[in-house]
Amino acid sequence: MNITTSSLLANLNPEQLRAVTYPAESALVLAGAGSGKTRVLTTRIAWLLATRQATVHSVLAVTFTNKAAKEMAARLATMTQITVRAMWLGTFHGLCHRFLRLHHRDAGLPASFQILDASDQHGLIKRLLKQWNISDSEIMPRSLQGFINAQKEAGLRAGALSAPDAYTQRLIECYAEYDAVCRREGLVDFAELMLRSYEVLHSNELLRAHYQKRFSHILVDEFQDTNKLQYAWLKLLAGGGAVMFAVGDDDQSIYRFRGANVGNMDALMRDFAVGEPIKLEQNYRSVGHILAAANAVIANNQKRLGKNLRTEAEDGEKIRFLHAIDDAAEAQYIVDEVRSLLREGYAARDIALLYRSNAQSRVLEQELFAARLPYRIYGGLRFYERQEIKHALAYLRLAVNSGDDNALLRIINMPPRGIGARTVENLQAAAQESRVSLFQAACTLAEKSPKIAVFVRLIHDLRARIMQDALPEIMNAAVQDSGLLEHYRTQKGEHQERIENLQELINAAAAFKPHESTFETLPENTADTPEFPLLAFLSNAALEAGEHQAGHNEDAVQLMTIHAAKGLEFDAVFLSGIEEGLFPSEYALNEAGGLEEERRLMYVAITRARQRLYLSAAQQRFLHGQRHYPLPSRFVDEIPEELLHLLSGSLNTVAPAEPTRTRRVETLNTARDFAGFAIGDNVRHAKFGTGVIVDALSKGDSARLTVNFGREGMKELDTAYAKLEKL
């Protein structure tokens, strides 16, 4: 290997140098955002090879994504000129796959065993449920798939599980049968790769001893994302005295819902006698004000190992925060600022719009569409392309146009109502024979089939609503009366996002105003009909879904959830919906440890930004089809006020605002005085606690104030009698 240690270590800062050249002892490296962790990990491997403390055959390097593994391999090849292919370097699943191929007999697998990706696994589960005569109304394929994978990732076979209820017992039985089928057919899903590898190593002493002797150095990237089984697998391999070198950041542990266990860091320090962690605190990504805000927010978490990011870069601009009058004004402000950045010379691809929940993308997409700004949803679908949204709109498409056969085929058994494939085939045959639409054929068949009759009646009821109700009520009926909302509520697994999207669809209907382009897509004689609002909405949804998202090679603004943004960085980041109940989310606040994980998510969001960071919240927001008056997020209060540039103004002008002492936010309509108070003021009441004024009415020398006291709800108080303290 033609390499010198001096060339390897030449450009490392003191912290990185200490980590790379650490003695042959187990270590935990706390690598802050933008601190060069990948560089440290790859240079550590190269240094071990250059100093002959390890060989390519004695190193095991593990990461989480194929992208990260390829990047590490490419850097190592450049740094060392070695044949990286000989090294065990890859993802957990990739390395376990390699292990099982080598030792398939010990694992009880055929030499030609097949890997099931997520799509293949889902297809197999659908086939098996049909074979077992289990309908979707009993167990959804995705619910069973999620259950099986979660148990495997926890290291649990079906025989080790106990059932608290009949539904879970059925899932356990299906898991056992699924396992039996996979063994019989030589199939291995992703979760099985890890579990089977662990089981073989655990039970086969000779094989375990071989690998424990082989690997003298085990290096792990993104250690904070490891789950219980992955850590147990690493411990087995390191049991022969291997040096464990783990790189991670407990402040960026945000995947608990996937099984990630931030407690593995404490376990590593205990199990491998690690002293104080090595801290990489020098940040090479963000300007000073952004890092200071990130440090201030995360400092409020109690259960952390502790570090403080710093930079040699300039402070940069202050973080801009706007408390808009409503979510539409918030979205308009964001799009106006994006335009301004583009005029300054920022590339659209270097601008990111982040949000806590996918449902929040809808209003942002609407404004971007109206502004004709190209955008791309990163790692997800546009709002109107999401499965549950298409289902709901298909009900309305069929109700307004009984000849829409595609809409009928999409929803006739969604949610499941016992209408099987054979019934649908009979329906299609009857329609073809009579040369009528599928719905007309269904109306005829309804006389003989109670299940078809229920479906037909539902569509007729929706049609009646379209003729007499307002658009929000029509949309609510499509979501509620169809059974879609209840269907997702009763499913075990990660369906909360689908529920939020359906509720956002009702919000979209309530706020809908047709674009001029919408009128061009509809016949002239429909403008004055009862169906027009719905027709316009459906046309607009089709336009937004079909045309405007940018192509893969086009420069476009990036939209994504904060979870999807981890590992990425942008010149400018907009973080919207910074409100109590949204971020931190209401669901997280009801779970043990939920608030601390939400705060870690805020830390991740802040540290995605290189130069500019924009935070925004809405004074009023449509949620679940109703207008709410949320309080600004506690995370805004945790940012020192000297780092914030507070904004207020009208829809078309945004001006600086003076901060208040506690909730440092201003609203867009604070000009009027109501007995010394203004809309948007934060107040304290002896009985109800702290709240925000959301509406007001003058009454001579006093005023009638409507105050949102959070959990205490909305209260109307007269300033002549109520003792309110302005904060």
Side-chain angles (χ1 to χ4, degrees), residues 184-204:
R184 189 165 59 248
E185 298 183 11
L187 303 173
V188 177
D189 57 50
F190 279 166
E192 182 71 18
L193 288 170
M194 190 86 229
L195 179 55
R196 189 74 67 97
S197 297
Y198 172 79
E199 289 173 340
V200 172
L201 284 169
H202 187 267
S203 62
N204 191 318

mmCIF file of all heavy atoms in Angstrom, residues 184-204:
data_model
loop_
_atom_site.group_PDB
_atom_site.id
_atom_site.type_symbol
_atom_site.label_atom_id
_atom_site.label_comp_id
_atom_site.label_asym_id
_atom_site.label_seq_id
_atom_site.Cartn_x
_atom_site.Cartn_y
_atom_site.Cartn_z
ATOM 1 N N ARG A 184 -39.891 -23.043 3.409
ATOM 2 C CA ARG A 184 -40.196 -24.089 2.425
ATOM 3 C C ARG A 184 -39.793 -23.671 1.019
ATOM 4 O O ARG A 184 -39.309 -24.473 0.228
ATOM 5 C CB ARG A 184 -41.687 -24.416 2.485
ATOM 6 C CG ARG A 184 -42.101 -25.627 1.675
ATOM 7 C CD ARG A 184 -43.478 -26.124 2.056
ATOM 8 N NE ARG A 184 -44.517 -25.133 1.883
ATOM 9 C CZ ARG A 184 -45.194 -24.568 2.876
ATOM 10 N NH1 ARG A 184 -44.933 -24.891 4.122
ATOM 11 N NH2 ARG A 184 -46.139 -23.672 2.641
ATOM 12 N N GLU A 185 -39.982 -22.371 0.703
ATOM 13 C CA GLU A 185 -39.726 -21.888 -0.651
ATOM 14 C C GLU A 185 -38.348 -21.245 -0.803
ATOM 15 O O GLU A 185 -38.002 -20.777 -1.892
ATOM 16 C CB GLU A 185 -40.816 -20.892 -1.051
ATOM 17 C CG GLU A 185 -42.208 -21.507 -1.089
ATOM 18 C CD GLU A 185 -43.275 -20.526 -1.563
ATOM 19 O OE1 GLU A 185 -42.914 -19.430 -2.057
ATOM 20 O OE2 GLU A 185 -44.472 -20.854 -1.438
ATOM 21 N N GLY A 186 -37.556 -21.218 0.265
ATOM 22 C CA GLY A 186 -36.216 -20.641 0.184
ATOM 23 C C GLY A 186 -36.224 -19.141 -0.044
ATOM 24 O O GLY A 186 -35.454 -18.615 -0.849
ATOM 25 N N LEU A 187 -37.084 -18.439 0.698
ATOM 26 C CA LEU A 187 -37.228 -16.992 0.556
ATOM 27 C C LEU A 187 -36.734 -16.288 1.814
ATOM 28 O O LEU A 187 -36.996 -16.753 2.929
ATOM 29 C CB LEU A 187 -38.701 -16.625 0.306
ATOM 30 C CG LEU A 187 -39.365 -17.283 -0.909
ATOM 31 C CD1 LEU A 187 -40.852 -16.959 -0.940
ATOM 32 C CD2 LEU A 187 -38.697 -16.848 -2.197
ATOM 33 N N VAL A 188 -36.071 -15.157 1.635
ATOM 34 C CA VAL A 188 -35.525 -14.396 2.765
ATOM 35 C C VAL A 188 -35.844 -12.918 2.558
ATOM 36 O O VAL A 188 -35.413 -12.311 1.579
ATOM 37 C CB VAL A 188 -33.998 -14.579 2.874
ATOM 38 C CG1 VAL A 188 -33.437 -13.734 4.013
ATOM 39 C CG2 VAL A 188 -33.638 -16.037 3.068
ATOM 40 N N ASP A 189 -36.642 -12.336 3.467
ATOM 41 C CA ASP A 189 -36.924 -10.900 3.378
ATOM 42 C C ASP A 189 -35.803 -10.123 4.059
ATOM 43 O O ASP A 189 -34.902 -10.701 4.678
ATOM 44 C CB ASP A 189 -38.296 -10.565 3.984
ATOM 45 C CG ASP A 189 -38.422 -11.004 5.439
ATOM 46 O OD1 ASP A 189 -37.526 -10.675 6.234
ATOM 47 O OD2 ASP A 189 -39.414 -11.675 5.787
ATOM 48 N N PHE A 190 -35.846 -8.787 3.942
ATOM 49 C CA PHE A 190 -34.760 -7.960 4.471
ATOM 50 C C PHE A 190 -34.561 -8.149 5.978
ATOM 51 O O PHE A 190 -33.437 -8.268 6.474
ATOM 52 C CB PHE A 190 -35.024 -6.482 4.172
ATOM 53 C CG PHE A 190 -34.644 -6.074 2.782
ATOM 54 C CD1 PHE A 190 -35.074 -4.863 2.263
ATOM 55 C CD2 PHE A 190 -33.865 -6.877 1.982
ATOM 56 C CE1 PHE A 190 -34.726 -4.458 0.975
ATOM 57 C CE2 PHE A 190 -33.504 -6.510 0.694
ATOM 58 C CZ PHE A 190 -33.940 -5.292 0.188
ATOM 59 N N ALA A 191 -35.662 -8.169 6.722
ATOM 60 C CA ALA A 191 -35.539 -8.315 8.173
ATOM 61 C C ALA A 191 -34.980 -9.685 8.539
ATOM 62 O O ALA A 191 -34.248 -9.833 9.525
ATOM 63 C CB ALA A 191 -36.896 -8.094 8.838
ATOM 64 N N GLU A 192 -35.308 -10.682 7.725
ATOM 65 C CA GLU A 192 -34.821 -12.045 7.977
ATOM 66 C C GLU A 192 -33.313 -12.152 7.802
ATOM 67 O O GLU A 192 -32.652 -12.951 8.481
ATOM 68 C CB GLU A 192 -35.530 -13.022 7.033
ATOM 69 C CG GLU A 192 -35.155 -14.483 7.232
ATOM 70 C CD GLU A 192 -35.706 -15.081 8.514
ATOM 71 O OE1 GLU A 192 -36.647 -14.505 9.104
ATOM 72 O OE2 GLU A 192 -35.172 -16.132 8.931
ATOM 73 N N LEU A 193 -32.746 -11.372 6.880
ATOM 74 C CA LEU A 193 -31.293 -11.384 6.673
ATOM 75 C C LEU A 193 -30.561 -11.151 7.992
ATOM 76 O O LEU A 193 -29.618 -11.873 8.339
ATOM 77 C CB LEU A 193 -30.893 -10.300 5.667
ATOM 78 C CG LEU A 193 -31.252 -10.522 4.204
ATOM 79 C CD1 LEU A 193 -30.996 -9.238 3.405
ATOM 80 C CD2 LEU A 193 -30.454 -11.672 3.610
ATOM 81 N N MET A 194 -31.012 -10.154 8.717
ATOM 82 C CA MET A 194 -30.362 -9.781 9.976
ATOM 83 C C MET A 194 -30.626 -10.830 11.052
ATOM 84 O O MET A 194 -29.703 -11.286 11.737
ATOM 85 C CB MET A 194 -30.923 -8.419 10.408
ATOM 86 C CG MET A 194 -30.197 -7.763 11.551
ATOM 87 S SD MET A 194 -28.786 -6.808 10.983
ATOM 88 C CE MET A 194 -27.545 -7.424 12.096
ATOM 89 N N LEU A 195 -31.882 -11.217 11.194
ATOM 90 C CA LEU A 195 -32.248 -12.144 12.259
ATOM 91 C C LEU A 195 -31.609 -13.512 12.045
ATOM 92 O O LEU A 195 -31.073 -14.109 12.989
ATOM 93 C CB LEU A 195 -33.774 -12.274 12.343
ATOM 94 C CG LEU A 195 -34.320 -13.229 13.411
ATOM 95 C CD1 LEU A 195 -33.779 -12.871 14.789
ATOM 96 C CD2 LEU A 195 -35.849 -13.214 13.410
ATOM 97 N N ARG A 196 -31.637 -14.026 10.813
ATOM 98 C CA ARG A 196 -31.069 -15.347 10.541
ATOM 99 C C ARG A 196 -29.547 -15.340 10.772
ATOM 100 O O ARG A 196 -28.985 -16.294 11.303
ATOM 101 C CB ARG A 196 -31.384 -15.771 9.111
ATOM 102 C CG ARG A 196 -31.020 -17.227 8.771
ATOM 103 C CD ARG A 196 -31.995 -18.222 9.397
ATOM 104 N NE ARG A 196 -33.315 -18.108 8.820
ATOM 105 C CZ ARG A 196 -33.786 -18.892 7.832
ATOM 106 N NH1 ARG A 196 -33.022 -19.845 7.329
ATOM 107 N NH2 ARG A 196 -35.011 -18.742 7.379
ATOM 108 N N SER A 197 -28.892 -14.256 10.370
ATOM 109 C CA SER A 197 -27.446 -14.151 10.591
ATOM 110 C C SER A 197 -27.125 -14.174 12.084
ATOM 111 O O SER A 197 -26.182 -14.848 12.529
ATOM 112 C CB SER A 197 -26.900 -12.863 9.968
ATOM 113 O OG SER A 197 -27.064 -12.874 8.578
ATOM 114 N N TYR A 198 -27.894 -13.419 12.855
ATOM 115 C CA TYR A 198 -27.676 -13.392 14.303
ATOM 116 C C TYR A 198 -27.892 -14.779 14.902
ATOM 117 O O TYR A 198 -27.083 -15.247 15.729
ATOM 118 C CB TYR A 198 -28.626 -12.383 14.960
ATOM 119 C CG TYR A 198 -28.592 -12.438 16.466
ATOM 120 C CD1 TYR A 198 -27.562 -11.837 17.179
ATOM 121 C CD2 TYR A 198 -29.573 -13.129 17.177
ATOM 122 C CE1 TYR A 198 -27.508 -11.907 18.566
ATOM 123 C CE2 TYR A 198 -29.528 -13.210 18.560
ATOM 124 C CZ TYR A 198 -28.495 -12.600 19.249
ATOM 125 O OH TYR A 198 -28.443 -12.695 20.622
ATOM 126 N N GLU A 199 -28.972 -15.445 14.498
ATOM 127 C CA GLU A 199 -29.286 -16.759 15.056
ATOM 128 C C GLU A 199 -28.183 -17.777 14.748
ATOM 129 O O GLU A 199 -27.823 -18.599 15.602
ATOM 130 C CB GLU A 199 -30.628 -17.246 14.507
ATOM 131 C CG GLU A 199 -31.816 -16.474 15.073
ATOM 132 C CD GLU A 199 -33.132 -16.829 14.403
ATOM 133 O OE1 GLU A 199 -33.105 -17.373 13.271
ATOM 134 O OE2 GLU A 199 -34.193 -16.557 14.996
ATOM 135 N N VAL A 200 -27.653 -17.724 13.516
ATOM 136 C CA VAL A 200 -26.578 -18.651 13.146
ATOM 137 C C VAL A 200 -25.337 -18.391 13.993
ATOM 138 O O VAL A 200 -24.730 -19.320 14.540
ATOM 139 C CB VAL A 200 -26.248 -18.529 11.645
ATOM 140 C CG1 VAL A 200 -25.007 -19.356 11.298
ATOM 141 C CG2 VAL A 200 -27.425 -18.992 10.802
ATOM 142 N N LEU A 201 -24.944 -17.136 14.111
ATOM 143 C CA LEU A 201 -23.761 -16.799 14.914
ATOM 144 C C LEU A 201 -23.953 -17.167 16.387
ATOM 145 O O LEU A 201 -23.034 -17.627 17.061
ATOM 146 C CB LEU A 201 -23.450 -15.310 14.793
ATOM 147 C CG LEU A 201 -22.794 -14.848 13.494
ATOM 148 C CD1 LEU A 201 -22.801 -13.333 13.409
ATOM 149 C CD2 LEU A 201 -21.360 -15.377 13.399
ATOM 150 N N HIS A 202 -25.158 -16.974 16.871
ATOM 151 C CA HIS A 202 -25.451 -17.232 18.277
ATOM 152 C C HIS A 202 -25.413 -18.725 18.589
ATOM 153 O O HIS A 202 -24.934 -19.145 19.666
ATOM 154 C CB HIS A 202 -26.824 -16.656 18.637
ATOM 155 C CG HIS A 202 -27.136 -16.716 20.100
ATOM 156 N ND1 HIS A 202 -27.809 -17.763 20.671
ATOM 157 C CD2 HIS A 202 -26.837 -15.863 21.118
ATOM 158 C CE1 HIS A 202 -27.932 -17.560 21.968
ATOM 159 N NE2 HIS A 202 -27.347 -16.409 22.272
ATOM 160 N N SER A 203 -25.895 -19.545 17.657
ATOM 161 C CA SER A 203 -26.025 -20.975 17.924
ATOM 162 C C SER A 203 -24.826 -21.796 17.465
ATOM 163 O O SER A 203 -24.608 -22.906 17.954
ATOM 164 C CB SER A 203 -27.296 -21.519 17.251
ATOM 165 O OG SER A 203 -27.218 -21.361 15.840
ATOM 166 N N ASN A 204 -24.035 -21.289 16.533
ATOM 167 C CA ASN A 204 -22.922 -22.042 15.967
ATOM 168 C C ASN A 204 -21.604 -21.522 16.550
ATOM 169 O O ASN A 204 -21.045 -20.524 16.092
ATOM 170 C CB ASN A 204 -22.926 -21.914 14.441
ATOM 171 C CG ASN A 204 -21.973 -22.873 13.773
ATOM 172 O OD1 ASN A 204 -20.859 -23.072 14.230
ATOM 173 N ND2 ASN A 204 -22.417 -23.466 12.665
#
